[in-house]
Amino acid sequence: MTVYADNAATTKMSRRAIEAMLPYMETTYGNPSSLHSVGQAAAEALQRARETMAGQIGCQAKEITFTSGGSEADSQAILSAAALGEKKGKKHIVSTAFEHHAVLHTLDRLRERGFEITLLDVHENGVITAREVASAIREDTCLVTILYANNEIGTIQPVSEIGAVCRERGVLFHTDAVQAAGHLPIDVNRENIDLMSLSAHKFRGPKGIGVLYTRKGVPLTSIIEGGAQERGKRAGTENIPAIVGMAAAFEEACEHMEENSAKVSSLRDRLIAGLSAVPHSILNGDRERRLPGNVNFCFEGIEGESLLLLLDRAGVFASSGSACTSGSLEPSHVLLAIGRPHEIAHGSLRLSLNEENTPEEIEYILKVVPETVSYLRSISPVWRDLECGKRKFML
Ligand SMILES: *Cc1c(COP(=O)(O)O)cnc(C)c1O
């Protein structure tokens, strides 16, 4: 048996999205900037996709800018708000310590340009409060940027409360909603969101395409120069097949959100209950405020990388944190941010599910993971020290 449980890294495309794309590669392959009818047919598809994306998050079509994905949308949102702030002499930004690297590394760049960045503490449960955001906002704050839902531990932030605080204080609010979109209902007006990043491949659309929602009146700074595409804010011929595929996938995900969420969260709960029985283990992230498909545990006395390799051999495809951190030996910045010690953070496992997973797969994971953890502990010198009392158990 093989089980794909790494849907927070990327998803298998949906059939509906693939089929929606094919005509835009085979017949309607024109450039939307061309004046002839093949180009104009592509331009119409572009407009329809823009309207579909806008309709699902409650904004206007012209507030949608297509980007190459979540990373570009995050960078452009933050750099645009920073440019606006700089003009007004406001060079302070509020964020959290457990953002995606697309946000954290963009903030690093701004710090080099003289911006001051406050990274809020996310506490052990991985959730911040609107009150904490409010007390971090200063006279010179130009932006609050906070993850809607965390990609590693799945915790969901009180976005509408944070949005209300930002609105009241006249500060722009950006949220990276890449993990939330298609999985949780989002309404940019109800939630007072000014800028928001989405990425298609996290909701069963194609890779390399995303959206930056920008509230009317908030000017974007181009980070790619060239033609006048996307109202002059993002040069380059539009990737029509990918844009059409994203819109189809998003519409499908939103249509089935309730039933998928019910199904996936019951699989998640079964998995959490089963893995909680492994001795010296701990669930990462709040038990209630978490994405329907996210399970993240630390197991004391093992290395996450070894666990992943053995799970791969057993046909279970998972992750130890974000796809970007895997492959480096640094423990996850998210697990460190919620206060896990280095040794514990190293023994992490993220299983991210979607509606394609089955109860049989969950039972298989529940057989393989505890066995593999026991095996790794049986050959670990650290575990031997723990068992004979030379070291103290932390979990
Ligand atoms: C995947 C991800 C991104 C990056 O999106 P890409 O489309 O892969 O660039 C950004 N933020 C979060 C929370 C993500 O999960």
Side-chain angles (χ1 to χ4, degrees):
M1 183 177 228
T2 62
V3 184
Y4 185 77
D6 202 11
N7 289 287
T10 197
T11 56
K12 181 176 108 180
M13 277 188 68
S14 83
R15 182 51 46 195
R16 189 160 136 189
I18 295 171
E19 279 168 10
M21 289 171 77
L22 290 174
Y24 296 92
M25 294 186 260
E26 291 173 332
T27 47
T28 313
Y29 47 76
N31 184 326
S33 300
S34 299
L35 294 180
H36 51 65
S37 47
V38 187
Q40 287 311 296
E44 280 161 27
L46 179 62
Q47 182 56 21
R48 275 197 302 277
R50 207 183 292 284
E51 280 161 13
T52 302
M53 295 306 295
Q56 301 295 349
I57 58 170
C59 73
Q60 296 170 27
K62 60 179 180 231
E63 295 175 310
I64 297 285
T65 301
F66 293 116
T67 67
S68 66
S71 303
E72 186 187 329
D74 283 343
S75 300
Q76 190 169 15
I78 294 168
L79 294 175
S80 300
L84 267 179
E86 203 161 23
K87 275 196 211 150
K88 300 182 191 156
K90 296 183 169 190
K91 296 180 75 172
H92 175 242
I93 296 175
V94 177
S95 188
T96 75
F98 80 159
E99 297 298 304
H100 190 271
H101 281 130
V103 167
L104 289 178
H105 292 170
T106 307
L107 294 176
D108 286 343
R109 254 213 255 165
L110 289 173
R111 202 179 277 116
E112 287 162 14
R113 280 176 32 195
F115 279 78
E116 214 185 309
I117 317 288
T118 301
L119 296 182
L120 296 170
D121 183 0
V122 291
H123 312 290
E124 201 201 339
N125 68 350
V127 182
I128 55 158
T129 65
R131 189 182 306 176
E132 289 163 329
V133 175
S135 51
I137 293 177
R138 315 190 310 211
E139 280 305 307
D140 61 343
T141 305
C142 61
L143 173 70
V144 169
T145 172
I146 287 171
L147 257 181
Y148 202 118
N150 186 275
N151 48 302
E152 292 189 36
I153 58 174
T155 51
I156 302 166
Q157 302 304 327
V159 170
S160 35
E161 286 93 326
I162 296 171
V165 162
C166 295
R167 183 58 51 86
E168 194 190 307
R169 304 286 291 273
V171 176
L172 285 178
F173 175 40
H174 166 250
T175 182
D176 173 335
V178 170
Q179 290 290 331
H183 305 283
L184 303 173
I186 297 177
D187 183 316
V188 292
N189 289 315
R190 196 185 59 222
E191 296 168 275
N192 288 309
I193 298 167
D194 298 308
L195 295 146
M196 179 170 78
S197 312
L198 308 183
S199 174
H201 75 103
K202 305 289 174 70
F203 51 76
R204 306 193 64 203
K207 294 170 183 57
I209 192 73
V211 154
L212 172 54
Y213 152 76
T214 313
R215 182 174 295 284
K216 192 167 160 265
V218 179
L220 285 183
T221 306
S222 315
I223 55 177
I224 299 176
E225 301 298 341
Q229 291 92 352
E230 298 302 286
R231 306 194 306 143
K233 296 309 177 196
R234 206 280 182 176
T237 303
E238 301 87 344
N239 186 347
I240 301 296
I243 288 169
V244 168
M246 167 165 64
F250 198 45
E251 192 170 49
E252 183 178 15
C254 294
E255 265 170 33
H256 298 283
M257 192 179 289
E258 242 174 84
E259 66 189 89
N260 285 346
S261 173
K263 178 185 168 187
V264 177
S265 34
S266 92
L267 297 176
R268 172 199 68 190
D269 294 345
R270 167 83 190 106
L271 198 47
I272 290 178
L275 292 179
S276 298
V278 174
H280 306 286
S281 69
I282 193 166
L283 176 71
N284 294 312
D286 194 76
R287 179 67 194 80
E288 306 301 324
R289 295 191 65 94
R290 73 189 298 136
L291 287 169
N294 179 284
V295 176
N296 189 318
F297 271 86
C298 282
F299 302 105
E300 187 160 13
I302 63 158
E303 286 291 335
E305 279 75 14
S306 322
L307 178 58
L308 288 187
L309 292 177
L310 292 181
L311 290 181
D312 179 55
R313 259 193 251 166
V316 174
F317 311 128
S319 155
S320 61
S322 75
C324 329
T325 348
S326 314
S328 76
L329 285 173
E330 275 298 294
S332 142
H333 70 285
V334 172
L335 296 179
L336 297 179
I338 60 168
R340 299 282 179 250
H342 268 69
E343 302 90 305
I344 299 297
H346 266 302
S348 66
L349 175 68
R350 178 186 72 186
L351 296 152
S352 44
L353 312 172
N354 78 359
E355 65 278 10
E356 296 258 289
N357 292 110
T358 64
E360 293 69 39
E361 291 180 349
I362 301 304
E363 295 315 310
Y364 183 66
I365 296 175
L366 284 176
K367 176 173 128 28
V368 172
V369 170
E371 276 173 13
T372 312
V373 169
S374 299
Y375 168 72
L376 285 171
R377 283 174 173 171
S378 75
I379 59 167
S380 150
V382 173
W383 187 256
R384 205 172 315 131
D385 287 354
L386 286 165
E387 283 214 301
C388 71
K390 266 201 215 155
R391 282 174 192 241
K392 278 216 173 84
F393 278 111
M394 296 191 200
L395 297 181

